[in-house]
mmCIF file of all heavy atoms in Angstrom:
data_model
loop_
_atom_site.group_PDB
_atom_site.id
_atom_site.type_symbol
_atom_site.label_atom_id
_atom_site.label_comp_id
_atom_site.label_asym_id
_atom_site.label_seq_id
_atom_site.Cartn_x
_atom_site.Cartn_y
_atom_site.Cartn_z
ATOM 1 N N LYS G 81 -5.196 -2.987 8.615
ATOM 2 C CA LYS G 81 -4.963 -4.406 8.883
ATOM 3 C C LYS G 81 -4.115 -5.028 7.779
ATOM 4 O O LYS G 81 -3.170 -5.772 8.049
ATOM 5 C CB LYS G 81 -6.298 -5.161 8.985
ATOM 6 C CG LYS G 81 -7.078 -4.879 10.232
ATOM 7 C CD LYS G 81 -8.398 -5.628 10.215
ATOM 8 C CE LYS G 81 -9.228 -5.239 11.435
ATOM 9 N NZ LYS G 81 -10.543 -5.893 11.427
ATOM 10 N N VAL G 82 -4.465 -4.730 6.545
ATOM 11 C CA VAL G 82 -3.746 -5.304 5.416
ATOM 12 C C VAL G 82 -2.327 -4.745 5.347
ATOM 13 O O VAL G 82 -1.370 -5.485 5.074
ATOM 14 C CB VAL G 82 -4.516 -5.062 4.098
ATOM 15 C CG1 VAL G 82 -3.721 -5.548 2.901
ATOM 16 C CG2 VAL G 82 -5.880 -5.752 4.146
ATOM 17 N N ALA G 83 -2.160 -3.454 5.616
ATOM 18 C CA ALA G 83 -0.821 -2.850 5.603
ATOM 19 C C ALA G 83 0.088 -3.509 6.631
ATOM 20 O O ALA G 83 1.265 -3.770 6.359
ATOM 21 C CB ALA G 83 -0.917 -1.346 5.850
ATOM 22 N N ARG G 84 -0.450 -3.801 7.797
ATOM 23 C CA ARG G 84 0.350 -4.487 8.829
ATOM 24 C C ARG G 84 0.745 -5.879 8.346
ATOM 25 O O ARG G 84 1.874 -6.317 8.551
ATOM 26 C CB ARG G 84 -0.429 -4.570 10.129
ATOM 27 C CG ARG G 84 -0.493 -3.246 10.848
ATOM 28 C CD ARG G 84 -1.307 -3.362 12.121
ATOM 29 N NE ARG G 84 -1.233 -2.092 12.826
ATOM 30 C CZ ARG G 84 -1.139 -1.976 14.129
ATOM 31 N NH1 ARG G 84 -1.132 -3.042 14.900
ATOM 32 N NH2 ARG G 84 -1.074 -0.791 14.687
ATOM 33 N N GLN G 85 -0.177 -6.563 7.729
ATOM 34 C CA GLN G 85 0.095 -7.894 7.184
ATOM 35 C C GLN G 85 1.179 -7.795 6.102
ATOM 36 O O GLN G 85 2.118 -8.602 6.091
ATOM 37 C CB GLN G 85 -1.200 -8.468 6.608
ATOM 38 C CG GLN G 85 -1.097 -9.826 5.971
ATOM 39 C CD GLN G 85 -2.445 -10.309 5.462
ATOM 40 O OE1 GLN G 85 -3.496 -9.968 5.989
ATOM 41 N NE2 GLN G 85 -2.421 -11.108 4.412
ATOM 42 N N LEU G 86 1.072 -6.823 5.212
ATOM 43 C CA LEU G 86 2.065 -6.652 4.152
ATOM 44 C C LEU G 86 3.447 -6.350 4.723
ATOM 45 O O LEU G 86 4.453 -6.914 4.278
ATOM 46 C CB LEU G 86 1.657 -5.511 3.208
ATOM 47 C CG LEU G 86 0.534 -5.807 2.232
ATOM 48 C CD1 LEU G 86 0.107 -4.531 1.522
ATOM 49 C CD2 LEU G 86 0.972 -6.858 1.223
ATOM 50 N N ARG G 87 3.491 -5.455 5.692
ATOM 51 C CA ARG G 87 4.783 -5.073 6.271
ATOM 52 C C ARG G 87 5.458 -6.275 6.923
ATOM 53 O O ARG G 87 6.654 -6.501 6.770
ATOM 54 C CB ARG G 87 4.595 -3.945 7.274
ATOM 55 C CG ARG G 87 5.915 -3.384 7.757
ATOM 56 C CD ARG G 87 5.698 -2.145 8.576
ATOM 57 N NE ARG G 87 6.988 -1.591 8.973
ATOM 58 C CZ ARG G 87 7.143 -0.771 9.980
ATOM 59 N NH1 ARG G 87 6.101 -0.363 10.683
ATOM 60 N NH2 ARG G 87 8.334 -0.319 10.283
ATOM 61 N N GLU G 88 4.673 -7.050 7.654
ATOM 62 C CA GLU G 88 5.218 -8.225 8.329
ATOM 63 C C GLU G 88 5.669 -9.287 7.330
ATOM 64 O O GLU G 88 6.770 -9.832 7.442
ATOM 65 C CB GLU G 88 4.157 -8.813 9.266
ATOM 66 C CG GLU G 88 4.601 -10.069 9.970
ATOM 67 C CD GLU G 88 3.486 -10.673 10.813
ATOM 68 O OE1 GLU G 88 2.766 -9.924 11.496
ATOM 69 O OE2 GLU G 88 3.348 -11.915 10.765
ATOM 70 N N LYS G 89 4.841 -9.581 6.347
ATOM 71 C CA LYS G 89 5.116 -10.691 5.430
ATOM 72 C C LYS G 89 6.145 -10.342 4.357
ATOM 73 O O LYS G 89 6.833 -11.232 3.854
ATOM 74 C CB LYS G 89 3.822 -11.161 4.760
ATOM 75 C CG LYS G 89 2.747 -11.607 5.715
ATOM 76 C CD LYS G 89 3.048 -12.931 6.336
ATOM 77 C CE LYS G 89 1.886 -13.348 7.232
ATOM 78 N NZ LYS G 89 1.899 -14.732 7.570
ATOM 79 N N THR G 90 6.249 -9.054 3.968
ATOM 80 C CA THR G 90 7.224 -8.674 2.942
ATOM 81 C C THR G 90 8.499 -8.130 3.557
ATOM 82 O O THR G 90 9.465 -7.893 2.842
ATOM 83 C CB THR G 90 6.660 -7.615 1.977
ATOM 84 O OG1 THR G 90 6.427 -6.392 2.687
ATOM 85 C CG2 THR G 90 5.398 -8.101 1.286
ATOM 86 N N ASP G 91 8.500 -7.910 4.862
ATOM 87 C CA ASP G 91 9.650 -7.368 5.572
ATOM 88 C C ASP G 91 10.099 -6.034 4.978
ATOM 89 O O ASP G 91 11.286 -5.746 4.879
ATOM 90 C CB ASP G 91 10.801 -8.379 5.588
ATOM 91 C CG ASP G 91 11.827 -8.066 6.662
ATOM 92 O OD1 ASP G 91 11.444 -7.551 7.726
ATOM 93 O OD2 ASP G 91 13.020 -8.315 6.420
ATOM 94 N N CYS G 92 9.141 -5.212 4.577
ATOM 95 C CA CYS G 92 9.464 -3.902 4.023
ATOM 96 C C CYS G 92 9.579 -2.875 5.153
ATOM 97 O O CYS G 92 9.122 -3.113 6.271
ATOM 98 C CB CYS G 92 8.402 -3.465 3.021
ATOM 99 S SG CYS G 92 6.774 -3.131 3.726
ATOM 100 N N ALA G 93 10.169 -1.741 4.850
ATOM 101 C CA ALA G 93 10.321 -0.686 5.844
ATOM 102 C C ALA G 93 8.989 0.031 6.094
ATOM 103 O O ALA G 93 8.658 0.352 7.238
ATOM 104 C CB ALA G 93 11.378 0.323 5.398
ATOM 105 N N ARG G 94 8.259 0.300 5.028
ATOM 106 C CA ARG G 94 6.972 0.989 5.123
ATOM 107 C C ARG G 94 6.040 0.512 4.027
ATOM 108 O O ARG G 94 6.485 0.054 2.982
ATOM 109 C CB ARG G 94 7.149 2.504 4.963
ATOM 110 C CG ARG G 94 7.932 3.119 6.070
ATOM 111 C CD ARG G 94 8.022 4.606 5.906
ATOM 112 N NE ARG G 94 8.878 5.096 6.991
ATOM 113 C CZ ARG G 94 8.689 6.215 7.624
ATOM 114 N NH1 ARG G 94 7.698 6.994 7.296
ATOM 115 N NH2 ARG G 94 9.502 6.583 8.589
ATOM 116 N N VAL G 95 4.765 0.702 4.274
ATOM 117 C CA VAL G 95 3.763 0.476 3.240
ATOM 118 C C VAL G 95 3.202 1.846 2.883
ATOM 119 O O VAL G 95 2.635 2.534 3.735
ATOM 120 C CB VAL G 95 2.643 -0.476 3.730
ATOM 121 C CG1 VAL G 95 1.551 -0.581 2.681
ATOM 122 C CG2 VAL G 95 3.211 -1.847 4.062
ATOM 123 N N CYS G 96 3.426 2.243 1.637
ATOM 124 C CA CYS G 96 2.915 3.536 1.178
ATOM 125 C C CYS G 96 1.475 3.379 0.709
ATOM 126 O O CYS G 96 1.040 2.291 0.332
ATOM 127 C CB CYS G 96 3.785 4.077 0.049
ATOM 128 S SG CYS G 96 5.408 4.628 0.616
ATOM 129 N N VAL G 97 0.749 4.488 0.752
ATOM 130 C CA VAL G 97 -0.679 4.488 0.449
ATOM 131 C C VAL G 97 -0.961 5.453 -0.692
ATOM 132 O O VAL G 97 -0.419 6.563 -0.724
ATOM 133 C CB VAL G 97 -1.493 4.930 1.687
ATOM 134 C CG1 VAL G 97 -2.972 4.988 1.375
ATOM 135 C CG2 VAL G 97 -1.222 4.023 2.859
ATOM 136 N N GLY G 98 -1.824 5.033 -1.605
ATOM 137 C CA GLY G 98 -2.245 5.909 -2.691
ATOM 138 C C GLY G 98 -3.721 5.745 -2.960
ATOM 139 O O GLY G 98 -4.259 4.640 -2.880
ATOM 140 N N VAL G 99 -4.362 6.860 -3.258
ATOM 141 C CA VAL G 99 -5.766 6.853 -3.681
ATOM 142 C C VAL G 99 -5.853 7.794 -4.875
ATOM 143 O O VAL G 99 -5.717 9.002 -4.723
ATOM 144 C CB VAL G 99 -6.720 7.334 -2.560
ATOM 145 C CG1 VAL G 99 -8.159 7.360 -3.071
ATOM 146 C CG2 VAL G 99 -6.596 6.464 -1.322
ATOM 147 N N TRP G 100 -6.021 7.224 -6.070
ATOM 148 C CA TRP G 100 -6.118 8.048 -7.268
ATOM 149 C C TRP G 100 -7.567 8.292 -7.628
ATOM 150 O O TRP G 100 -7.955 9.416 -7.846
ATOM 151 C CB TRP G 100 -5.384 7.390 -8.445
ATOM 152 C CG TRP G 100 -3.912 7.367 -8.231
ATOM 153 C CD1 TRP G 100 -3.024 8.338 -8.587
ATOM 154 C CD2 TRP G 100 -3.150 6.356 -7.584
ATOM 155 N NE1 TRP G 100 -1.755 7.972 -8.203
ATOM 156 C CE2 TRP G 100 -1.802 6.762 -7.580
ATOM 157 C CE3 TRP G 100 -3.467 5.131 -7.000
ATOM 158 C CZ2 TRP G 100 -0.780 5.991 -7.028
ATOM 159 C CZ3 TRP G 100 -2.444 4.374 -6.448
ATOM 160 C CH2 TRP G 100 -1.121 4.813 -6.470
ATOM 161 N N GLY G 101 -8.329 7.240 -7.758
ATOM 162 C CA GLY G 101 -9.762 7.382 -7.941
ATOM 163 C C GLY G 101 -10.274 7.495 -9.355
ATOM 164 O O GLY G 101 -11.443 7.769 -9.561
ATOM 165 N N TYR G 102 -9.428 7.287 -10.345
ATOM 166 C CA TYR G 102 -9.903 7.382 -11.724
ATOM 167 C C TYR G 102 -9.867 6.064 -12.485
ATOM 168 O O TYR G 102 -10.658 5.849 -13.382
ATOM 169 C CB TYR G 102 -9.075 8.413 -12.508
ATOM 170 C CG TYR G 102 -9.410 9.829 -12.155
ATOM 171 C CD1 TYR G 102 -8.583 10.560 -11.319
ATOM 172 C CD2 TYR G 102 -10.556 10.442 -12.643
ATOM 173 C CE1 TYR G 102 -8.885 11.868 -10.982
ATOM 174 C CE2 TYR G 102 -10.874 11.747 -12.317
ATOM 175 C CZ TYR G 102 -10.031 12.459 -11.490
ATOM 176 O OH TYR G 102 -10.332 13.739 -11.164
ATOM 177 N N GLU G 103 -8.921 5.201 -12.164
ATOM 178 C CA GLU G 103 -8.691 4.037 -13.006
ATOM 179 C C GLU G 103 -9.813 3.000 -12.970
ATOM 180 O O GLU G 103 -10.028 2.300 -13.950
ATOM 181 C CB GLU G 103 -7.327 3.405 -12.709
ATOM 182 C CG GLU G 103 -7.165 2.827 -11.321
ATOM 183 C CD GLU G 103 -6.776 3.818 -10.230
ATOM 184 O OE1 GLU G 103 -7.092 5.006 -10.309
ATOM 185 O OE2 GLU G 103 -6.179 3.359 -9.248
ATOM 186 N N VAL G 104 -10.532 2.884 -11.871
ATOM 187 C CA VAL G 104 -11.676 1.972 -11.766
ATOM 188 C C VAL G 104 -12.767 2.727 -11.003
ATOM 189 O O VAL G 104 -12.491 3.307 -9.957
ATOM 190 C CB VAL G 104 -11.305 0.673 -11.005
ATOM 191 C CG1 VAL G 104 -12.530 -0.207 -10.808
ATOM 192 C CG2 VAL G 104 -10.220 -0.094 -11.745
ATOM 193 N N PRO G 105 -14.010 2.737 -11.506
ATOM 194 C CA PRO G 105 -15.077 3.464 -10.819
ATOM 195 C C PRO G 105 -15.604 2.719 -9.594
ATOM 196 O O PRO G 105 -16.780 2.341 -9.518
ATOM 197 C CB PRO G 105 -16.152 3.622 -11.906
ATOM 198 C CG PRO G 105 -15.965 2.404 -12.768
ATOM 199 C CD PRO G 105 -14.480 2.138 -12.754
ATOM 200 N N HIS G 106 -14.711 2.465 -8.663
ATOM 201 C CA HIS G 106 -15.042 1.747 -7.427
ATOM 202 C C HIS G 106 -13.982 2.176 -6.423
ATOM 203 O O HIS G 106 -12.782 1.992 -6.664
ATOM 204 C CB HIS G 106 -14.957 0.239 -7.686
ATOM 205 C CG HIS G 106 -15.509 -0.620 -6.595
ATOM 206 N ND1 HIS G 106 -16.475 -1.572 -6.828
ATOM 207 C CD2 HIS G 106 -15.221 -0.697 -5.272
ATOM 208 C CE1 HIS G 106 -16.748 -2.203 -5.691
ATOM 209 N NE2 HIS G 106 -15.994 -1.681 -4.730
ATOM 210 N N ALA G 107 -14.386 2.767 -5.325
ATOM 211 C CA ALA G 107 -13.437 3.268 -4.326
ATOM 212 C C ALA G 107 -12.436 2.183 -3.956
ATOM 213 O O ALA G 107 -12.809 1.013 -3.798
ATOM 214 C CB ALA G 107 -14.187 3.730 -3.077
ATOM 215 N N HIS G 108 -11.169 2.582 -3.855
ATOM 216 C CA HIS G 108 -10.139 1.617 -3.473
ATOM 217 C C HIS G 108 -8.885 2.332 -3.005
ATOM 218 O O HIS G 108 -8.642 3.481 -3.341
ATOM 219 C CB HIS G 108 -9.816 0.647 -4.603
ATOM 220 C CG HIS G 108 -9.336 1.284 -5.867
ATOM 221 N ND1 HIS G 108 -10.163 1.995 -6.719
ATOM 222 C CD2 HIS G 108 -8.106 1.311 -6.432
ATOM 223 C CE1 HIS G 108 -9.472 2.419 -7.753
ATOM 224 N NE2 HIS G 108 -8.201 2.031 -7.600
ATOM 225 N N ILE G 109 -8.106 1.607 -2.216
ATOM 226 C CA ILE G 109 -6.858 2.116 -1.660
ATOM 227 C C ILE G 109 -5.726 1.222 -2.147
ATOM 228 O O ILE G 109 -5.823 -0.004 -2.062
ATOM 229 C CB ILE G 109 -6.906 2.106 -0.111
ATOM 230 C CG1 ILE G 109 -7.998 3.054 0.395
ATOM 231 C CG2 ILE G 109 -5.545 2.467 0.477
ATOM 232 C CD1 ILE G 109 -8.254 2.958 1.887
ATOM 233 N N HIS G 110 -4.659 1.850 -2.654
ATOM 234 C CA HIS G 110 -3.453 1.126 -3.049
ATOM 235 C C HIS G 110 -2.509 1.057 -1.853
ATOM 236 O O HIS G 110 -2.249 2.082 -1.213
ATOM 237 C CB HIS G 110 -2.713 1.862 -4.177
ATOM 238 C CG HIS G 110 -3.437 1.903 -5.469
ATOM 239 N ND1 HIS G 110 -3.118 1.073 -6.515
ATOM 240 C CD2 HIS G 110 -4.459 2.686 -5.898
ATOM 241 C CE1 HIS G 110 -3.913 1.340 -7.539
ATOM 242 N NE2 HIS G 110 -4.735 2.317 -7.184
ATOM 243 N N LEU G 111 -1.985 -0.108 -1.558
ATOM 244 C CA LEU G 111 -0.957 -0.303 -0.536
ATOM 245 C C LEU G 111 0.273 -0.882 -1.230
ATOM 246 O O LEU G 111 0.173 -1.919 -1.894
ATOM 247 C CB LEU G 111 -1.437 -1.264 0.551
ATOM 248 C CG LEU G 111 -2.680 -0.837 1.336
ATOM 249 C CD1 LEU G 111 -3.090 -1.940 2.312
ATOM 250 C CD2 LEU G 111 -2.438 0.464 2.074
ATOM 251 N N VAL G 112 1.413 -0.191 -1.085
ATOM 252 C CA VAL G 112 2.619 -0.605 -1.794
ATOM 253 C C VAL G 112 3.769 -0.769 -0.803
ATOM 254 O O VAL G 112 4.197 0.213 -0.187
ATOM 255 C CB VAL G 112 3.002 0.420 -2.885
ATOM 256 C CG1 VAL G 112 4.251 -0.029 -3.624
ATOM 257 C CG2 VAL G 112 1.844 0.650 -3.853
ATOM 258 N N PRO G 113 4.273 -1.992 -0.635
ATOM 259 C CA PRO G 113 5.433 -2.194 0.231
ATOM 260 C C PRO G 113 6.657 -1.461 -0.342
ATOM 261 O O PRO G 113 6.916 -1.532 -1.548
ATOM 262 C CB PRO G 113 5.654 -3.709 0.196
ATOM 263 C CG PRO G 113 4.337 -4.277 -0.217
ATOM 264 C CD PRO G 113 3.754 -3.266 -1.154
ATOM 265 N N THR G 114 7.384 -0.749 0.517
ATOM 266 C CA THR G 114 8.562 0.007 0.085
ATOM 267 C C THR G 114 9.677 -0.127 1.118
ATOM 268 O O THR G 114 9.424 -0.426 2.282
ATOM 269 C CB THR G 114 8.241 1.504 -0.090
ATOM 270 O OG1 THR G 114 7.865 2.047 1.174
ATOM 271 C CG2 THR G 114 7.128 1.734 -1.097
ATOM 272 N N ASN G 115 10.883 0.149 0.660
ATOM 273 C CA ASN G 115 12.040 0.163 1.550
ATOM 274 C C ASN G 115 12.790 1.489 1.501
ATOM 275 O O ASN G 115 13.562 1.787 2.403
ATOM 276 C CB ASN G 115 12.992 -0.984 1.219
ATOM 277 C CG ASN G 115 12.422 -2.307 1.671
ATOM 278 O OD1 ASN G 115 12.143 -2.500 2.850
ATOM 279 N ND2 ASN G 115 12.215 -3.204 0.736
ATOM 280 N N PHE G 116 12.569 2.257 0.441
ATOM 281 C CA PHE G 116 13.263 3.530 0.260
ATOM 282 C C PHE G 116 12.310 4.531 -0.371
ATOM 283 O O PHE G 116 11.348 4.150 -1.033
ATOM 284 C CB PHE G 116 14.483 3.359 -0.653
ATOM 285 C CG PHE G 116 15.416 2.282 -0.200
ATOM 286 C CD1 PHE G 116 15.360 1.023 -0.765
ATOM 287 C CD2 PHE G 116 16.342 2.527 0.804
ATOM 288 C CE1 PHE G 116 16.221 0.015 -0.351
ATOM 289 C CE2 PHE G 116 17.199 1.527 1.233
ATOM 290 C CZ PHE G 116 17.134 0.269 0.652
ATOM 291 N N MET G 117 12.585 5.804 -0.217
ATOM 292 C CA MET G 117 11.768 6.855 -0.814
ATOM 293 C C MET G 117 11.672 6.663 -2.331
ATOM 294 O O MET G 117 10.623 6.897 -2.928
ATOM 295 C CB MET G 117 12.366 8.228 -0.482
ATOM 296 C CG MET G 117 11.550 9.382 -0.970
ATOM 297 S SD MET G 117 9.999 9.458 -0.054
ATOM 298 C CE MET G 117 9.255 10.864 -0.821
ATOM 299 N N ALA G 118 12.744 6.198 -2.942
ATOM 300 C CA ALA G 118 12.746 6.000 -4.388
ATOM 301 C C ALA G 118 11.765 4.920 -4.844
ATOM 302 O O ALA G 118 11.404 4.856 -6.021
ATOM 303 C CB ALA G 118 14.153 5.651 -4.859
#
């Protein structure tokens, strides 16, 4: 739901997803608006 909101509101090509799991001891998902592989 949030990724769709981000894509629409930021007009990005894709929202990339990351789950690292070490930086905070609480499960979480990173959503990053992107336009290019770089």
